[in-house]
Amino acid sequence: MLHKNHIYRITEFIVGLLFGLGLMLSGMTDPGKVIGFLDLFGAWDPSLALVMGGAILVGFFAFTVAKKRSTTFLGGVLRFPTNMDIDKKLVVGSVLFGAGWGLAGFCPGPAMVSMADGQPKALVFVLAMLVGMLGFELMDRFVHAPRKTKSISH
């Protein structure tokens, strides 16, 4: 008999597989196609606008249904973000995300799929992303957290 935790892991695997397949079929794992979409004043390729429009439409209906529920379909707790502030960290993070996407043609999801597909550029991107994430954690832990503690104690 399957334990509830196993059902969660199997479901997560299937959803991840579908997401990765969707990224591949839509062309989001092709950096050239992504950069072509972002090149508004050059050889613009608008086809990814349909992908984004479809994602927004699916997300809209999914969140409409989810907001009426208190549990997931598998019975887990359903949590929504409570922080609605647009702060410096959010803006800087968004700019870095956009710059990385525009320069490399990858964002995290498609990069993981492309790396699994054997694309060397994706491997470099994922390694750089991991170094950036580690750098953020270290800065947050050893630079920002001590400052917050000092300002609270004074």
Side-chain angles (χ1 to χ4, degrees):
M1 180 153 197
L2 283 176
H3 188 271
K4 196 171 197 173
N5 200 30
H6 291 117
I7 294 172
Y8 285 144
R9 299 295 88 84
I10 292 168
T11 303
E12 291 163 355
F13 176 77
I14 292 169
V15 169
L17 200 60
L18 285 172
F19 180 67
L21 185 61
L23 290 173
M24 289 173 70
L25 291 175
S26 68
M28 291 288 294
T29 57
D30 178 5
K33 189 166 188 69
V34 171
I35 291 171
F37 171 70
L38 297 173
D39 187 9
L40 299 176
F41 302 108
W44 185 53
D45 178 1
S47 61
L48 290 184
L50 296 172
V51 173
M52 289 185 181
I56 290 168
L57 193 64
V58 168
F60 173 79
F61 288 110
F63 276 102
T64 301
V65 169
K67 286 179 183 177
K68 295 176 184 175
R69 300 177 56 87
S70 60
T71 61
T72 66
F73 290 117
L74 296 176
V77 178
L78 188 58
R79 294 184 186 99
F80 290 99
T82 56
N83 185 357
M84 299 295 184
D85 297 337
I86 298 175
D87 59 1
K88 184 179 173 184
K89 284 171 61 172
L90 177 65
V91 172
V92 170
S94 299
V95 168
L96 287 172
F97 178 91
W101 193 39
L103 290 170
F106 286 118
C107 62
M112 297 296 285
V113 173
S114 297
M115 185 183 71
D117 191 36
Q119 290 187 31
K121 289 179 185 179
L123 175 62
V124 171
F125 179 88
V126 170
L127 290 174
M129 179 179 72
L130 292 173
V131 167
M133 292 166 70
L134 177 63
F136 171 82
E137 285 298 321
L138 292 173
M139 289 287 289
D140 198 46
R141 186 173 299 156
F142 297 112
V143 176
H144 298 128
R147 285 185 193 162
K148 289 177 188 174
T149 306
K150 279 184 184 177
S151 65
I152 292 171
S153 64
H154 291 318

